[in-house]
Amino acid sequence: MSKLSWWKRTAMAAGVMIAAVAAVSVQPRQGRSAEPQAPAPGPAAEKPKYRYFGSKSCDQCHSVSKERPTNTPEAIGYIYLDEYTRWSTEDKHRLAFARLSSERGRRMAGLLKADVTKRETGCLGCHSAGTAETSSRRQGNLFDPNEGVSCENCHGPYEGWALDHTQPDFRGWDAKKRAEKGMIDVRVPEIQAAQCLSCHIGDAAEGKVVTHEMYAAGHPPLPSIEVATFADFIPRHWMLVDEKAADKVKEAEGYRKGELERTKLAIVGASVALNTSMNLIAQEYTTPAKDVPGQAWPDYARYDCWSCHHDLKRESWRQARGYEMPPGRVPVGEWPLPLVRLGIARIGMEDADGAKALNADLERLQNELHEQASNRPFGREQALIKAASALASWSVVVTKKLVGLSYDRIIAFDLLRALVEEARKTKPDYDAARHVAWMIKLLVEDLKDDGFAREEKEEKQKDGEKAKKMASIRAIMAKDRPAIESILSRLDDKLKLELPAGRKYEIEDFLGPALEKIGDYDPDQFQADLDRLAEILNAK
Amino acid sequence: MFCLALGSTLTMTGRPASASDPVPVETPVWTGTGSCAAAACHGGRREPIGLKGSEYSFSEAYDPHSRAFSVLYNDRSLVIERNYRRLASLEAARPFEDDTCLRCHVHQGYDARTPWSRTPEFAVADGAGCEGCHGAAGKWLVPHMEYGWQGLSDRQKYEVFGMRPTKDLLARGQSCTECHVGLGSTDVNHDLIAAGHPRLNFEYGSQLAKLPKHWRVDDDKARHPDYEAKVWVLGQILTARASLDLLESRASRSIPDDSTSPWPEFAEYSCFSCHHELVQQGWASANATQLPKPGSLQWGTWSLPMAKVLGPLGPGLDADESGSTFGQLRELMSRPVPDAALVANRARAASDELGRLAESINGVRIGTGDVRNMLSAALKLDESSRPLDWDGAARRYLAIVALDKALADSDPSAPGRPDQSALGRLYKDLDLPLQVDRRGGIFDSPYRFDAERIKGDLRSLLSAHSNP
């Protein structure tokens, strides 16, 4: 039986099932469909519709082969067509399952007294498309967990869309239509962010939770994550819309000239990160999985790691800084907040009153979260869930506003200034500082690329005012370039902004130095760097 | 027998009452340190050291208790108060007016809201003054200067007049623990520690040895031929018991629905269970993996580990035995949110048990054989038990030093004294006193701690002890 006929059968079967289940493979979570939705804690009610088959069928088209030795954007104009090859040779996600049997994985298994390669213990939620019992995923006969985190983990199970996506009209399908067939449209920033963060922060409904017991047994800490930066480090096997050669595709994907896609993804990603982390707190304890080691309330892993895990210093910067909550209580992780506030600043450029209201909401919701997390150590379960849910729901509104806005270079410069100005007023902890630093780096990169000069030239011809602004920004960025580079390189060094990209580095080589940086982190130094950067950016 | 009876009366302030405790019916009246300080009384010539009548002069000059109040004006105290009360600025911080601080920094029992309990002469500026240990002098200030006072028994002086029998080593230790471990409202909990207050690591023997004394230790030794041994043994029980009383108080206070008392109370656990940087090869992380469940908190690491060394003197005090009183409590306390009511009950029962034990030990003389056995036990590593952590190793070091001294005292020619250079090595490997220069700052964390190296030190000490 040919593959094509198998695809046809699959597609037909899928078509029948669409009618039966409306919200196909879309969790009630932000970003999983085109429309952001409020969180609804609890296990997925419907039986999953599509099964996971793994990457073997993708290999047939999305890889370099003898018959098709090279693939360039020019070949098709919007995809490389060697995605499978890149994933299987360069991308660490491919090794996610194999890692469970590494020395660290075996040691963890021994300490947890659990077979970490079995779905019951919850590891496969992230280390494969295999899953914990709470998950909505089902596996087809071709499925092989050894593939690790493969195509379907991000793009959705292909059972419903394998055939469709080879058809010419497929490029015109929007995220909603794709979602109906089980495809996750990762071209949409909030969907892409939600998909990455479902593992890199966690999603209890999909059985993707790292508990404190797992960490204590040796799981590396999950750091703060800036989605656009992390995506580049995978390394990226897709083109940004701007990089696509096919104009029709660009048009279909809503391309706007001068739009900074990575900046947009980073800002939207921060809001989605807040949603994901708050949902994890709200959702986790309503979906306990008895075989997952350490999953019970309160799980220390839902709180800020570095509040406890630091050596005790006589002149402590935490004590010198003071506390927003009663000292000695454990806060939940809030590292996305500085960039969420930056998102509100972006909203404020269009709607000052709206931004003011959002900031007031955030302050109120954050105070409530602090209160509920700290009125006793770890807080009280139901009240904390309620506070976290409220913040999660609010973040959906913010995300929705953010995705509708544009992000050009003039805006990026204003954002950079606003970010530096806000961040230097506080003494963020390591995770938040790193998140901020990634964003600064990204904005600086977006402001220095060659496209900026070209764009300025074009603008000169039609809009004198805009071109003038651009010239002034380019002058500021160019004048103090060495000083900016030196600040960035110090941030890089102090916060370890470089990630163990692709297969070049082993996590085991990276982890030791990375953890040392956390211990060495000095918020005063970070603040001093931002002060200097603010001086440069605010120069007349 | 006399000591036994006396021991049972020593719970005047704060400690939860047990059936055998006398009920204090009157509010004690504090007369202040100034009432002791007359030149003709206790404020006499300070030098040469040791003159009778120089107790106030000596303590005022050398005993850090006298500065307990004035430290509340220093920068660190202001930061602690600002953090603890979450004040907007350091200028708003007034720790020297905060009862939570004054209860110990003036002395235990002080409460600004009860002015009638103090004579006009009482001054908070005197810090933890004479009455902090000797008891409120309202009823005994005049009588103790009168003819006939010397004829009264210690018991009469306490029960009738409220003067504490500080010559009794158990009573003396109990007055220390009320602040140095804590009890009820004198509670250095994790909130206060996080605000900047140092952790309380009470060790009766070593702290008593270091205290500049306004009395003669020779008199102590004349009264208690087993002085060194007894102070150490009672110290183990006192610290453990005071910790249990505090645990009971913390658990009980947290039970009401509207309670603001923290629970779980993190100060119950080893600081270094959580407070260690995450490194790839770290002792604290390695220890965490050896617990029944990776990442659970380790309770009682400072207050309990040496009680098991008491052997026949204190049977059943091994927290490493899962069925023992301590073992059961430890199991309860290792849960993320322990059942407060159950913990309070168990802690109360265990404290009562220790109270009876302390009284009985206080009434007997500890022999050379007992000391030798305890020293052997302190030196011996139990490889099968829980991982060796810094708290346990530091307490073990202090035990070895104290029991060595006790052995030397009871039999100066005793063979098997620990090798002093090996003891010095252990001290150094523990980074004692815990101040580690690192990254241009002073750390209170034993980040260099290496359990294997400490075990090596202990092995060489044991071998010298076993093969003198």
Side-chain angles (χ1 to χ4, degrees):
Chain A
M1 190 179 293
S2 76
K3 277 285 166 202
L4 193 63
S5 65
W6 176 84
W7 275 9
K8 273 184 179 165
R9 283 191 297 116
T10 307
M12 281 166 65
V16 172
M17 281 189 275
I18 287 170
V21 185
V24 180
S25 79
V26 178
Q27 296 299 315
R29 314 273 296 180
Q30 181 164 356
R32 297 306 165 84
S33 70
E35 278 296 296
Q37 294 173 37
E46 294 106 358
K47 198 174 174 218
K49 188 167 172 186
Y50 299 115
R51 292 169 299 169
Y52 286 76
F53 286 90
S55 66
K56 291 192 183 69
S57 305
C58 313
D59 172 22
Q60 294 173 35
C61 298
H62 293 273
S63 65
V64 177
S65 64
K66 272 186 189 164
E67 296 76 36
R68 201 177 52 247
T70 54
N71 282 296
T72 62
E74 289 73 29
I76 290 188
Y78 52 87
I79 53 170
Y80 294 112
L81 271 184
D82 63 355
E83 294 78 5
Y84 177 90
T85 314
R86 289 182 192 220
W87 166 77
S88 61
T89 57
E90 295 173 40
D91 189 330
K92 275 205 181 69
H93 290 93
R94 169 72 182 84
L95 307 177
F97 184 79
R99 282 285 178 270
L100 298 175
S101 307
S102 66
E103 191 189 332
R104 180 180 288 270
R106 289 198 305 274
R107 194 168 65 235
M108 282 183 66
L111 293 166
L112 295 170
K113 300 180 180 70
D115 183 345
V116 295
T117 62
K118 294 279 181 274
R119 72 186 198 109
E120 293 81 355
T121 45
C123 306
L124 303 196
C126 292
H127 284 266
S128 160
T131 59
E133 282 173 88
T134 49
S135 165
S136 58
R137 298 188 200 165
R138 293 188 302 142
Q139 294 157 7
N141 54 355
L142 290 176
F143 182 81
D144 176 5
N146 285 303
E147 291 185 349
V149 173
S150 72
C151 317
E152 290 178 297
N153 284 64
C154 304
H155 295 281
Y158 65 70
E159 188 177 12
W161 50 266
L163 184 60
D164 294 315
H165 93 295
T166 64
Q167 303 304 309
D169 69 331
F170 183 77
R171 300 309 304 175
W173 287 26
D174 66 7
K176 190 164 176 248
K177 193 165 176 193
R178 291 176 185 215
E180 282 168 4
K181 294 288 183 96
M183 177 181 249
I184 299 164
D185 191 352
V186 284
R187 300 168 309 160
V188 179
E190 68 273 30
I191 296 179
Q192 180 187 345
Q195 200 54 26
C196 299
L197 298 174
S198 72
C199 282
H200 286 271
I201 290 176
D203 181 342
E206 292 197 346
K208 297 169 171 178
V209 176
V210 185
T211 64
H212 186 260
E213 202 170 320
M214 295 177 191
Y215 283 128
H219 193 290
L222 292 185
S224 53
I225 159 169
E226 193 287 281
V227 183
T229 303
F230 271 58
D232 283 347
F233 277 112
I234 287 177
R236 196 149 50 81
H237 59 244
W238 63 95
M239 295 173 208
L240 299 176
V241 185
D242 188 44
E243 293 165 343
K244 293 182 181 177
D247 285 343
K248 272 193 181 164
V249 174
K250 283 172 103 157
E251 197 183 321
E253 293 181 8
Y255 176 65
R256 279 193 278 215
K257 200 168 174 59
E259 179 79 346
L260 301 172
E261 297 164 59
R262 291 164 71 240
T263 291
K264 179 174 183 174
L265 176 60
I267 298 224
V268 170
S271 182
V272 178
L274 179 65
N275 177 271
T276 310
S277 51
M278 289 302 119
N279 264 328
L280 186 60
I281 293 168
Q283 198 185 29
E284 177 173 348
Y285 313 109
T286 57
T287 57
K290 61 181 168 45
D291 292 326
V292 177
Q295 187 155 331
W297 194 87
D299 178 8
Y300 306 150
R302 299 290 74 80
Y303 299 82
D304 176 46
C305 307
W306 316 120
S307 288
C308 301
H309 288 304
H310 57 82
D311 275 340
L312 300 173
K313 195 179 179 189
R314 202 61 64 87
E315 302 298 328
S316 147
W317 64 262
R318 293 176 178 84
Q319 286 167 1
R321 177 197 59 186
Y323 300 92
E324 283 185 20
M325 300 184 350
R329 311 291 167 92
V330 199
V332 297
E334 294 179 356
W335 54 261
L337 282 176
L339 292 200
V340 170
R341 288 202 186 88
L342 183 66
I344 298 176
R346 171 66 194 94
I347 294 166
M349 292 173 194
E350 316 290 332
D351 173 12
D353 288 345
K356 202 173 159 193
L358 285 172
N359 273 322
D361 285 345
L362 177 56
E363 193 181 344
R364 178 177 51 79
L365 291 165
Q366 199 188 353
N367 286 344
E368 178 63 9
L369 183 74
H370 289 172
E371 167 62 23
Q372 296 310 335
S374 70
N375 51 21
R376 65 184 286 169
F378 304 125
R380 288 182 165 80
E381 185 178 3
Q382 289 309 317
L384 184 57
I385 285 176
K386 203 173 154 200
S389 295
L391 197 48
S393 298
W394 173 86
S395 70
V396 175
V397 176
V398 175
T399 304
K400 199 171 176 182
K401 287 182 188 289
L402 290 173
V403 297
L405 297 172
S406 63
Y407 299 82
D408 65 17
R409 288 183 172 84
I410 293 175
I411 288 167
F413 184 73
D414 288 344
L415 288 175
L416 179 58
R417 271 214 291 224
L419 177 61
V420 172
E421 205 51 50
E422 274 305 304
R424 77 197 184 98
K425 284 184 199 155
T426 60
K427 288 196 177 173
D429 67 11
Y430 177 84
D431 277 341
R434 202 170 180 223
H435 198 211
V436 166
W438 273 319
M439 187 74 216
I440 290 173
K441 202 175 168 193
L442 189 149
L443 287 165
V444 170
E445 277 167 14
D446 266 355
L447 285 169
K448 78 177 174 191
D449 68 15
D450 299 338
F452 198 176
R454 269 202 314 277
E455 205 182 317
E456 187 193 328
K457 212 171 167 184
E458 287 166 20
E459 286 296 335
K460 248 183 199 162
Q461 292 158 10
K462 52 182 180 180
D463 180 351
E465 201 50 41
K466 205 171 169 190
K468 233 187 256 171
K469 266 190 195 165
M470 283 180 158
S472 126
I473 293 169
R474 285 217 308 132
I476 291 172
M477 298 305 287
K479 181 170 161 273
D480 282 313
R481 173 64 60 193
I484 294 175
E485 292 296 344
S486 122
I487 292 167
L488 285 181
S489 113
R490 203 158 46 243
L491 291 176
D492 235 339
D493 173 47
K494 299 285 179 198
L495 296 165
K496 195 106 180 132
L497 300 182
E498 290 293 323
L499 293 165
R503 309 258 180 99
K504 228 166 39 187
Y505 303 97
E506 279 295 324
I507 182 74
E508 298 301 336
D509 301 330
F510 180 83
L511 194 56
L515 291 171
E516 258 177 53
K517 295 290 179 192
I518 298 172
D520 289 345
Y521 169 65
D522 175 2
D524 291 329
Q525 172 73 54
F526 180 69
Q527 216 171 16
D529 283 331
L530 295 198
D531 284 346
R532 176 74 191 105
L533 191 53
E535 267 177 45
I536 295 171
L537 297 175
N538 293 323
K540 296 287 174 201
Chain B
M1 195 59 217
F2 168 76
C3 289
L4 252 173
L6 192 64
S8 70
T9 66
L10 299 177
T11 52
M12 189 177 69
T13 59
R15 179 183 294 285
S18 71
S20 60
D21 287 337
V23 182
V25 287
E26 293 169 81
T27 308
V29 174
W30 311 89
T31 61
T33 298
S35 66
C36 316
C41 300
H42 299 287
R45 264 181 65 191
R46 198 172 66 203
E47 265 86 27
I49 300 292
L51 289 177
K52 191 106 178 126
S54 70
E55 294 81 3
Y56 168 81
S57 324
F58 177 90
S59 301
E60 197 272 337
Y62 301 118
D63 186 334
H65 289 93
S66 66
R67 292 184 288 284
F69 179 76
S70 60
V71 298
L72 296 178
Y73 285 87
N74 69 21
D75 290 347
R76 180 167 191 169
S77 296
L78 297 179
V79 168
I80 295 170
E81 178 74 0
R82 182 203 62 184
N83 289 342
Y84 185 64
R85 299 289 176 201
R86 296 167 66 204
L87 304 169
S89 67
L90 284 179
E91 289 69 36
R94 302 183 73 79
F96 35 83
E97 290 172 0
D98 187 330
D99 267 2
T100 299
C101 310
L102 299 186
R103 281 186 201 115
C104 286
H105 284 263
V106 174
H107 57 64
Q108 61 264 45
Y110 179 87
D111 188 333
R113 292 164 302 180
T114 57
W116 62 87
S117 70
R118 301 188 292 279
T119 63
E121 294 76 27
F122 183 90
V124 292
D126 289 324
C130 313
E131 291 168 291
C133 301
H134 294 282
K139 286 177 71 180
W140 56 260
L141 179 64
V142 174
H144 96 292
M145 295 185 278
E146 291 178 336
Y147 182 76
W149 177 260
Q150 298 294 336
L152 296 177
S153 68
D154 282 355
R155 181 174 181 153
Q156 286 169 317
K157 290 174 185 173
Y158 177 66
E159 289 189 351
V160 180
F161 299 96
M163 177 188 258
R164 287 182 164 187
T166 50
K167 294 185 182 72
D168 179 272
L169 297 176
L170 181 58
R172 187 186 296 174
Q174 278 173 339
S175 66
C176 304
T177 58
E178 286 173 18
C179 285
H180 288 275
V181 175
L183 182 64
S185 59
T186 58
D187 183 354
V188 177
N189 64 14
H190 188 257
D191 290 2
L192 199 46
I193 296 171
H197 194 287
R199 176 198 187 190
L200 302 184
N201 282 350
F202 184 62
E203 223 279 338
Y204 185 31
S206 57
Q207 277 169 263
L208 188 60
K210 277 168 69 179
L211 180 78
K213 292 174 201 58
H214 57 266
W215 69 92
R216 282 185 288 269
V217 178
D218 286 348
D219 291 347
D220 278 334
K221 290 190 173 177
R223 276 189 291 270
H224 308 283
D226 56 351
Y227 173 77
E228 294 289 356
K230 188 159 276 176
V231 167
W232 184 80
V233 169
L234 289 176
Q236 305 316 301
I237 299 172
L238 274 168
T239 303
R241 188 181 185 204
S243 303
L244 290 166
D245 290 337
L246 184 59
L247 173 61
E248 187 213 0
S249 161
R250 286 168 168 171
S252 305
R253 277 182 280 141
S254 76
I255 292 173
D257 283 343
D258 57 351
S259 168
T260 54
S261 284
W263 188 261
E265 172 47 60
F266 298 138
E268 287 288 331
Y269 300 89
S270 160
C271 302
F272 313 120
S273 274
C274 304
H275 290 304
H276 57 86
E277 285 172 12
L278 299 181
V279 291
Q280 260 181 314
Q281 305 281 331
W283 72 272
S285 308
N287 276 11
T289 60
Q290 293 173 48
L291 301 169
K293 279 193 166 188
S296 46
L297 301 187
Q298 299 167 71
W299 174 74
T301 49
W302 183 264
S303 58
L304 300 181
M306 286 295 105
K308 67 178 173 186
V309 172
L310 301 181
L313 287 174
L317 298 183
D318 188 352
D320 293 337
E321 276 179 30
S322 55
S324 70
T325 310
F326 289 167
Q328 285 175 353
L329 255 174
R330 182 188 269 171
E331 196 280 317
L332 269 180
M333 289 296 287
S334 69
R335 298 175 193 174
V337 182
D339 180 329
L342 198 52
V343 165
N345 280 339
R346 293 257 171 93
R348 176 78 267 125
S351 166
D352 288 346
E353 202 178 311
L354 286 181
R356 288 189 289 274
L357 184 64
E359 286 161 13
S360 81
I361 289 177
N362 199 27
V364 297
R365 180 170 170 174
I366 298 170
T368 308
D370 289 328
V371 176
R372 197 186 299 282
N373 288 339
M374 290 189 289
L375 182 56
S376 298
L379 288 166
K380 200 175 162 197
L381 275 170
D382 182 1
E383 300 282 3
S384 66
S385 71
R386 292 161 68 87
L388 184 65
D389 65 358
W390 185 87
D391 279 7
R395 296 278 331 243
R396 197 182 279 263
Y397 167 81
L398 294 170
I400 294 165
V401 171
L403 292 167
D404 173 37
K405 215 164 152 194
L407 194 60
D409 256 21
S410 74
D411 180 3
S413 62
R417 299 268 316 277
D419 171 33
Q420 294 304 306
S421 65
L423 208 48
R425 213 161 39 242
L426 179 58
Y427 179 87
K428 193 168 155 284
D429 288 342
L430 284 167
D431 271 319
L432 281 166
L434 194 51
Q435 285 181 25
V436 186
D437 282 329
R438 187 185 172 202
R439 293 199 293 249
I442 303 290
F443 281 75
D444 302 308
S445 286
Y447 88 105
R448 286 192 291 233
F449 181 76
D450 177 347
E452 289 311 311
R453 198 169 61 214
I454 302 293
K455 283 178 186 172
D457 293 342
L458 287 168
R459 272 187 213 104
S460 59
L461 276 165
L462 180 64
S463 120
H465 173 73
S466 312
N467 310 298

